[in-house]
Amino acid sequence: MSTTTLSPEPARTAAAGRPVLDPATGAVLETVPDSSIAEVDAAIARALTAFTAGPWPALTRTQRGRLLLRVADVIEARSEELYRLETRNNGRPVTETRAQLSRVPEWFRYNAGLLAAQRDSVLPSDGPYLTYQRRAPLGVCGIITPFNHPLLILARSLSAALATGNTVVVKPSETTPLSTLALVDLLAEAGVPDGVVTVVTGGREVGERLTGHPDIAKITLTGGTEAGRAAAVATARRFARVTAELGGKTPIAVFDDIDPVVAAEGAAFAAFVAAGQSCVAGSRFLVQEGIYAEFVAALARRADAIRIGDPSDPATQLGPLVSAAQRDKVRALVEAGRVEGARIAAGGGVPDLPAPLNQGFFLQPTVIADATMDMRVAREEIFGPVAVVVPFRDEADAIAKANDNRFGLGAGVWTRDLARGHRVADAVRAGMVWVNDHHRLEPSLPWGGIKESGTGRDAGTESFDDFTWIKTVVVRTAADDVDWYGADAPGRLN
């Protein structure tokens, strides 16, 4: 099904740069400049000046906390503009975008709270000494964000970086920079000093320069595994920090003690929200043999009933993929599954939509059944609205198949046996595991994976702390002086 209320807005263009497309129609929304290497260097120099001079380093923790709360209030007040802008730029249905971006202020408020509650540690020392630790900001940090959740992923890291006193240079995805550029204006409106947050736009070369620059103290990157590996190598050369949230091939084990129709409804949300363009999307469903056929049929029915159409229409349930290239990649993997012997139980093609949506990058929600663990669709990240279903025998088989992958970002378990849910969650090698739910996140929950899904954590106290370095201070409190080489010195040999 489709919706047809699209009202294209006139494109805004610049003299030169990179066109930013509306993925629902293929039309140009705006042309954004490609930052040159010199412009990236200038942005970093500006951020370094803001870190070392001017008002930012002079702010107290209380003042920074209040500023973050003002940022949250401004974002909340302008949220409708941000929902609409991000929906037009990345194609996610506005109902989903509204639900996600309405939570962005929470990250700024959470990190403001961590800042207010932060205490310096006093460490035990023998003798007349007081030993304590102080946390200090790292300096200039680079944040590289992906196309799928531009503002949420940025807020996750940016709020922690600012709370701890760092300055930031942001590089958004070249396909979805518009909401990030809008956010920088809102930060200025909230009172964030000039140079504290700067955006550079462009493609791979801009990201490489930001990652490799000697004045960048930390990189936080969300993207593909190869991009994360390159960032790890570049930062290692100067011993800078890196947090990388990379790819995933999320296994979701569905056991036969649960109603397969209920599980299929949960599976549809896990697989098709954001058109499957999420690193933790439910892309690999491991279903116990006793309910396998019924689960596949229920999931296929649900997929066929999803309303595809204009992302700005609240009735739309599935929008387009972000680009033609992304859709081509997903279609090629679906076809590879078909060639390898899997069954396309639902979808698999391009929906028939009216103009101008017929020029967009839409793909039907797709269910691939009867897959085996050696097929590409069961092993590779697809990053589209595609659910791959693989049968399993028992709990041990489910765990073995869940862990049989190079990724380790997210996982899920559907069962009415809570003891089993805990056992499987413990046994699965993934940074995040949901039981009888999916995609649940909070500012306090550390977000990240293991294996080729990355290193480090976003959100939580882990992210807050990792934007600082620890200084240990040892103070001698005894009244007498120390003369190590004197007659009564403790080090004198008798």
Side-chain angles (χ1 to χ4, degrees):
M1 299 178 64
S2 65
T3 56
T4 56
T5 63
L6 192 66
S7 300
E9 297 173 0
R12 292 178 292 158
T13 60
R18 185 184 298 263
V20 177
L21 303 184
D22 178 347
T25 65
V28 176
L29 291 171
E30 187 168 347
T31 300
V32 175
D34 271 329
S35 299
S36 67
I37 298 302
E39 288 170 329
V40 176
D41 290 348
I44 296 170
R46 185 180 172 202
L48 185 59
T49 298
F51 178 73
T52 57
W56 187 244
L59 292 183
T60 65
R61 295 197 311 179
T62 298
Q63 289 170 325
R64 283 206 310 275
R66 288 175 179 167
L67 183 55
L68 288 177
L69 295 176
R70 285 201 299 275
V71 169
D73 290 343
V74 170
I75 292 173
E76 203 162 61
R78 305 286 288 278
S79 59
E80 189 65 28
E81 299 171 40
L82 294 173
Y83 305 154
R84 298 292 175 183
L85 182 61
E86 191 155 296
T87 288
R88 294 301 303 275
N89 197 176
N90 76 351
R92 188 170 184 179
V94 70
T95 50
E96 291 183 11
T97 307
R98 179 180 287 111
Q100 184 181 81
L101 296 196
S102 66
R103 305 202 63 192
V104 165
E106 293 179 28
W107 265 261
F108 290 92
R109 291 171 179 143
Y110 172 77
N111 280 286
L114 288 183
L115 183 60
Q118 187 183 40
R119 293 184 178 184
D120 296 327
S121 298
V122 176
L123 306 178
S125 294
D126 290 336
Y129 297 97
L130 173 65
T131 303
Y132 61 91
Q133 289 183 329
R134 301 293 302 272
R135 287 191 173 271
L138 299 175
V140 182
C141 300
I143 300 177
I144 300 175
T145 59
F147 66 78
N148 53 343
H149 310 302
L151 275 191
L152 180 68
I153 289 176
L154 173 58
R156 217 162 52 189
S157 299
L158 179 63
S159 56
L162 296 182
T164 47
N166 300 281
T167 57
V168 178
V169 178
V170 181
K171 193 207 91 65
S173 166
E174 61 269 33
T175 57
T176 57
L178 300 186
S179 57
T180 299
L181 292 168
L183 179 64
V184 171
D185 291 339
L186 299 187
L187 296 176
E189 182 180 325
V192 175
D194 185 59
V196 171
V197 180
T198 306
V199 177
V200 291
T201 54
R204 179 176 177 177
E205 297 80 6
V206 173
E208 289 177 346
R209 181 56 179 168
L210 183 61
T211 302
H213 197 283
D215 289 331
I216 294 292
K218 176 179 176 175
I219 286 288
T220 299
L221 176 146
T222 302
T225 299
E226 291 311 310
R229 185 173 286 115
V233 170
T235 51
R237 290 193 180 102
R238 62 182 187 279
F239 302 104
R241 296 187 188 182
V242 62
T243 294
E245 192 259 87
L246 309 176
K249 188 65 177 175
T250 302
I252 299 179
V254 181
F255 287 89
D256 63 6
D257 61 357
I258 198 165
D259 183 335
V261 176
V262 171
E265 291 171 353
F269 170 70
F272 303 134
V273 71
Q277 296 173 118
S278 173
C279 294
V280 293
S283 57
R284 187 163 51 113
F285 292 91
L286 311 173
V287 182
Q288 200 157 16
E289 292 169 340
I291 61 169
Y292 180 84
E294 193 174 352
F295 174 89
V296 170
L299 182 57
R301 288 193 302 270
R302 176 63 74 177
D304 286 337
I306 289 175
R307 294 189 296 274
I308 307 170
D310 170 14
S312 66
D313 184 345
T316 293
Q317 295 175 320
L318 186 79
L321 296 176
V322 74
S323 66
Q326 184 65 22
R327 184 176 65 179
D328 290 346
K329 174 196 168 189
V330 174
R331 293 188 71 187
L333 283 168
V334 171
E335 180 59 25
R338 192 198 313 268
V339 169
E340 289 181 305
R343 173 171 61 92
I344 309 302
V350 175
D352 184 16
L353 298 171
L357 300 176
N358 60 348
Q359 300 300 310
F361 313 128
F362 292 88
L363 187 69
Q364 294 170 327
T366 301
V367 178
I368 301 178
D370 305 339
T372 59
M373 288 301 299
D374 59 341
M375 294 180 179
R376 288 181 62 196
V377 290
R379 305 201 68 79
E380 296 182 21
E381 184 177 41
I382 297 177
F383 226 65
V386 180
V388 179
V389 192
V390 179
F392 72 83
R393 295 184 307 276
D394 53 24
E395 186 175 313
D397 189 33
I399 292 168
K401 285 177 174 172
N403 289 333
D404 183 16
N405 198 265
R406 63 191 177 98
F407 295 113
L409 186 58
V413 186
W414 285 81
T415 180
R416 291 301 178 199
D417 182 342
L418 289 183
R420 170 187 282 158
H422 286 295
R423 286 197 307 271
V424 177
D426 284 345
V428 171
R429 292 181 56 76
M432 298 166 287
V433 183
W434 292 275
V435 179
N436 297 334
D437 205 345
H438 206 77
H439 288 296
R440 181 66 184 177
L441 72 162
E442 301 283 347
S444 59
L445 305 183
W447 184 276
I450 61 172
K451 298 192 282 188
E452 291 193 24
S453 287
T455 182
R457 292 294 183 270
D458 270 331
T461 58
E462 290 80 359
S463 175
F464 183 90
D465 289 343
D466 201 51
F467 277 102
T468 66
W469 57 277
I470 294 175
K471 176 187 296 185
T472 301
V473 180
V474 181
V475 180
R476 187 171 187 271
T477 60
D480 59 315
D481 296 328
V482 175
D483 181 3
W484 184 261
Y485 298 103
D488 299 322
R492 183 178 175 84
L493 297 178
N494 295 313

